[in-house]
Structure formats: C-alpha cells, structure tokens
Amino acid sequence: MLRPIGSAPRYLKSEFQHYLGAFLLQLAMMIAMTVIPFFTFQHLGGRERAAAMAYGVQVLSLGVACLLSASFISVLPNVLLCCLIGSAGFGVFYSTAILARNVISFCVLTGMAMLFFALAWPALQSWLGAQRDAALRAKSFSYFNLSIGIGLTLGPFIAGLLYGVDYRLPFLATLLLSIVSGLLLFALPHEREYFTSVPPVCPAELNVTSTLQTDADNEAYLYCGWLSNMLGWGLTGAVRTVYAGRLDQLVQQGRLVLFSPSLPLHVFTAQHGPSAATLYSWMQSVLSLGFFLTILVMGRTVRWQHQFWPVIASLVLLGGGIWLLADSHSLIVILLCHAIIGAFTGFGYMGSQCYSAANVLHKHKRLALNEGFSHSTGFFLPLAFAQLGTWYGITWPFTHTPAILAVFIALQFLSLRYAKRNAAAATLSTWNV
C-alpha cells in the first residue's frame, strides 16, 4: 500500500497546500479571463470579433504550450520550480496587459502569460500524479478537481465585483494570487521525498477477460470523449466572448428583464441595476457552477461510462439551451442556459479525461492531445461565431447551433462505430506486448 512519508499531519498539510495553490492559480486565471470582453469593449476599442480574437489567442497559446511541455515536464528533476516560474510569469505578464492600448498588444502580453501558465499547470498535476496507488491517486485528483472547480465558480463573480470598482483591480488580483500560488506550490516537499512507490500490479493478478472488455470500451469511447470536450470548450469560448456583446446590447437598449417581457419584475439598463460587466460575471459564475456540479456528480458513479445515450441526451439538452439563449431577454432564462452549457462542458471534460487516461501506455500523450484539441476549438469556434455574427447578426450563430449539433450527433455515432471495430484488436495487441 502506498503511503506518504512522514506523519499524518504533514501529509494532510502538504495535500491541503497543493489544493490551495491549485485553487488560487485557477482563481487568478478565471479572474483574468472574465474581464477580456468588457476590457476589450471599453478600453481597447474593439467589439465581439476583437474579444473573440483575444480569448482565442490565449487558449491557443495555452493548448500549444501544453502539448510542447508535455514531453519534458515529467522528466524534470523538480517540477515545483516550474510551478513557481509558471505562476509568477503568468501573473506578471497578464497584469502588464493593463498597459495595452490596442488588441494586438493585449493579445501578445496575455498570450505570453498563457505560455507561463502552461508551464505551471501540467507541473502541479505531475506532482500529484507521482502517487502510484490508483485508489489514492483517484482520491487526490478528486480533491484537486474540487479545488479548481471552486476557483472556476468564484473567479467570474470576484472579477465582476473588482471590475465594477476599478477596471485595474482584476489585473492586480491576478498578479497577487498567481505569486502566492507559485510560492505555496514551490514550498511543497519534493515528490520523491513525499511519496514512496510500489510495484505495479501484475496483469496475471487481474481478471483479464473483464479488463480486456473494459479496455476495449475505453478505446471505443475515446473519440466520443474528445469530440464532446472540443465542442464544449469551443461553445464556452463563444459564449464568453461573442454573447458578451449581445448582453451589452440588451442592457444598453433596456431590453433585459429579470423574468419575462410580459412580467419583467425588473428592467436592467445602463443607468439602473448592475452593469453589463457585473451581469456577465454572474453568467460566467453560473456556467462554471454547472461545470463544477456535473463533474461532482460524474465523479460519484461510473454508470455514464461506455454508454452512448448520455452523449445524445447531453447534446439535445445543449441544443435546447443554446436555442433559448439566442433570443432570450430574461435574465433567469439566460442564467439557466449558461448552467446547461457549463454542464455539457463538464460532461465532455470528465469523459475525455477518463477515457484518455484509461490506457496506461498512452495516457500522457492522449491527455496532452485532449488538452490541445479542446483549446484549438476554443480558439477557432469563438472566431467563427464572431464572424458569423458580424455578417448575419449577433444572435444568428446561436440560433442555428442546434442544426450544427444534429450533424455533430451523426459524427459522434460514426466515430463510435469506427472505434468499436478497431478497439478489440488494439486492446489485445496492447496486452500481448
């Protein structure tokens, strides 16, 4: 049985310190990302397309850097140094973006910040992944996901409050939180001192028939997981950037109500009620809450695994949510739609993570590909939505998303059929190595 070196209090303290560092770094990133649209609108002279480009450059930088760093992070003598350099570099470069006076300079500075973030994020997970016992590692990662989920949920809300006081405060908060996070992570004990290792389980001790079937199912659903994750993060990026312009329009025109146009209860305008930036931060918090709660539920059961009906159900629910979001003037309905989008993103993220990590021989490469693919769609889909919105009206891409999802369901089905034909042979080949 794998056990941490040292006393129980030291073990608990180091674990909590790791989760706290991860929470603060995720919180800093969400605060930074949340202010992109309205900082672009109000201080850089851009609109939806410029905000989508700024967001896209950041997620693409993060994705490419994660792919490039994956090959050397795991072999570094001390990954905690990457946590310190990456966290501090992210905070410094992102905070200097406040000095940008145009979209291009903002993209350069924030893109550099994401390169540093990509250095820290895999490194802190690598430290936790040194836990060799599967059950303990799963428990540790569940707490890790809980900590970053709280950061995802609180970040937009805090960003909105700070931005409402002074637009520079979110950038200052990003700097301070990142530095504190880097120091906390760097102060952790070295993984070789903290964890002892145990020999891997011999395949002869396993139920080989059951394991082969499970591995074949994991291989079959790998592409479904990747496709869902790509779609989820792409639509999240579109909502975070392009829909911010729609929200700004509704508030400026006095057309956003609390409940419904026939029973408004309250009308949000530029002069009365929270600002558009504050309302936007509420929506992003609800989106992150949907993401967080979905992962929390999926982590408590495996019944959703190796089943195609949850994929279909989630896509149908997503289509309905996007269609309602397109033309809604109700804040309550808009918040509900954001929760649905967040839930789908969480579903795709959790599924892709589980299926990518299932094959021990390929998990590192597949997890890296999963990150790279999802961040690539997070770059291209917001730009596509912004361009379509420029041509046909800002609500057009959201109104027509359900039709695209119908094609996507067919693509999922075909990918599953293709994968099932190859999964069994590939799994047998892996076990015969």
Side-chain angles (χ1 to χ4, degrees), residues 124-174:
L124 66 91
Q125 296 181 64
S126 177
W127 184 89
L128 202 61
Q131 180 83 268
R132 292 292 302 278
D133 182 89
L136 291 178
R137 186 172 62 250
K139 185 176 181 180
S140 296
F141 270 103
S142 69
Y143 286 122
F144 170 77
N145 286 329
L146 178 63
S147 65
I148 65 172
I150 296 173
L152 282 168
T153 304
L154 292 180
F157 181 72
I158 295 174
L161 292 177
L162 294 176
Y163 194 88
V165 176
D166 190 303
Y167 74 93
R168 291 165 290 196
L169 287 179
F171 293 89
L172 177 61
T174 298

Side-chain angles (χ1 to χ4, degrees), residues 4-90:
I5 296 177
S7 62
R10 178 176 181 269
Y11 168 67
L12 294 175
K13 178 182 177 181
S14 295
E15 289 283 317
F16 177 77
Q17 183 176 327
H18 180 278
Y19 304 142
L20 179 60
F23 160 72
L24 292 177
L25 187 56
Q26 183 67 74
L27 181 64
M29 183 189 183
M30 283 307 301
I31 290 175
M33 298 289 279
T34 300
V35 302
I36 292 173
F38 286 91
F39 184 75
T40 303
F41 299 162
Q42 298 169 5
H43 299 281
L44 300 180
R47 288 303 301 174
E48 292 80 18
R49 188 162 51 180
M53 184 175 73
Y55 178 87
V57 166
Q58 293 179 42
V59 297
L60 186 63
S61 298
L62 177 59
V64 171
C66 281
L67 287 173
L68 295 177
S69 67
S71 60
F72 67 85
I73 286 292
S74 60
V75 298
L76 290 177
N78 187 2
V79 297
L80 298 176
L81 184 60
C82 291
C83 293
L84 177 61
I85 296 174
S87 298
F90 167 73

Side-chain angles (χ1 to χ4, degrees), residues 281-299:
S281 71
W282 293 359
M283 295 172 190
Q284 295 311 302
S285 290
V286 171
L287 188 150
S288 297
L289 183 62
F291 175 92
F292 168 65
L293 292 177
T294 301
I295 286 182
L296 197 63
V297 171
M298 292 175 70

